[in-house]
Amino acid sequence: DQSKTIETMLNSLQNNVIAAIILVLIIILGALGVRSGLLVGVSIPGSFLSGMLALSIMGFTVNIVVLFALILSVGLLVDGAIVVVEYADRKIKEGLSVKDSYASASKKMALPIISSTATTLVAFLPLIFWPGLAGEFMKYLPITLICVLTSSLFMALLFVPVLGTVINTVTRIILQ
C-alpha cells in the first residue's frame, strides 16, 4: 500500500514537471514569437537530458526531490537562452549576418549569463552541506539544480547559437 502511494506521488510529480515545461513554453512562445520561442524551448529538454545524464553518471536516481528540483529549475534554465536569442535577433535586424549575430551573442553575453547562473547556483550550494538525515534527503535538490543549470549554461552559449544559425539559414534559403 505504501509503495503504491509513493508511486502515485512520483507520477503526480512527473506530471507537474511536464505541466511546468508546457506552461513555460507557452509563455516563451507568446513573448518571443515562434522562431525565437522554439529556439529557447529546445534548451529545456536539452538541459534536462544532459543534467539527468550527469546525475546518472554520479549514481543518482530520479526521486521526489529530484523531480521537485526539475520543476524549480524550469523557469531558471531558459534565462540564458532568452538573452542569447534576443541579442542575436537584434544584431540580425541591425544587418549583421546570421552566423555573426549568434557568434556575437554567445561571446558578448557569456559573462553576464555565467554570472547570473553562478549566483543562482551559489545560493543553493550550502544545502549540499546540510547535516543529518534531512541533509541526506535534501542534497538531491542542490545537486540536481547544479547539474541542470550548468547544462543550461552550455545550451545557451553553445547549442542554441549553433541551432539558431542553422534554423535561420535554412529558413532564409527556403523563403528565397
Side-chain angles (χ1 to χ4, degrees):
D1 188 47
Q2 186 179 8
S3 65
K4 234 178 191 176
T5 304
I6 293 172
E7 185 178 330
T8 304
M9 287 173 44
L10 277 173
N11 286 337
S12 176
L13 205 48
Q14 287 172 341
N15 291 336
N16 288 338
V17 170
I18 294 167
I21 292 169
I22 291 169
L23 290 172
V24 168
L25 282 173
I26 290 169
I27 291 169
I28 290 170
L29 287 170
L32 301 179
V34 175
R35 186 181 43 79
S36 296
L38 289 175
L39 270 174
V40 172
V42 166
S43 68
I44 297 172
S47 298
F48 274 10
L49 290 173
S50 51
M52 294 303 286
L53 177 64
L55 287 172
S56 177
I57 290 170
M58 291 187 285
F60 293 138
T61 57
V62 176
N63 60 40
I64 291 172
V65 180
V66 168
L67 290 172
F68 179 73
L70 291 176
I71 291 172
L72 186 64
S73 71
V74 172
L76 299 171
L77 60 84
V78 295
D79 293 347
I82 290 171
V83 170
V84 168
V85 168
E86 285 298 304
Y87 188 87
D89 282 349
R90 189 176 94 203
K91 288 299 179 184
I92 290 169
K93 287 176 184 165
E94 291 175 2
L96 206 59
S97 74
V98 171
K99 182 180 176 183
D100 291 339
S101 295
Y102 279 98
S104 175
S106 185
K107 288 176 191 168
K108 294 258 185 191
M109 295 295 115
L111 188 57
I113 293 170
I114 291 168
S115 300
S116 173
T117 303
T119 57
T120 304
L121 294 178
V122 169
F124 287 101
L125 193 62
L127 291 177
I128 292 175
F129 307 108
W130 195 352
L133 184 61
E136 281 299 311
F137 183 68
M138 290 304 293
K139 75 178 180 183
Y140 294 101
L141 181 107
I143 292 171
T144 301
L145 285 170
I146 289 168
C147 290
V148 172
L149 291 176
T150 302
S151 297
S152 77
L153 182 66
F154 289 107
M155 292 295 290
L157 296 177
L158 298 173
F159 185 75
V160 168
V162 170
L163 186 62
T165 301
V166 169
I167 288 174
N168 278 299
T169 303
V170 169
T171 304
R172 285 177 188 234
I173 290 171
I174 291 172
L175 294 177
Q176 286 181 358

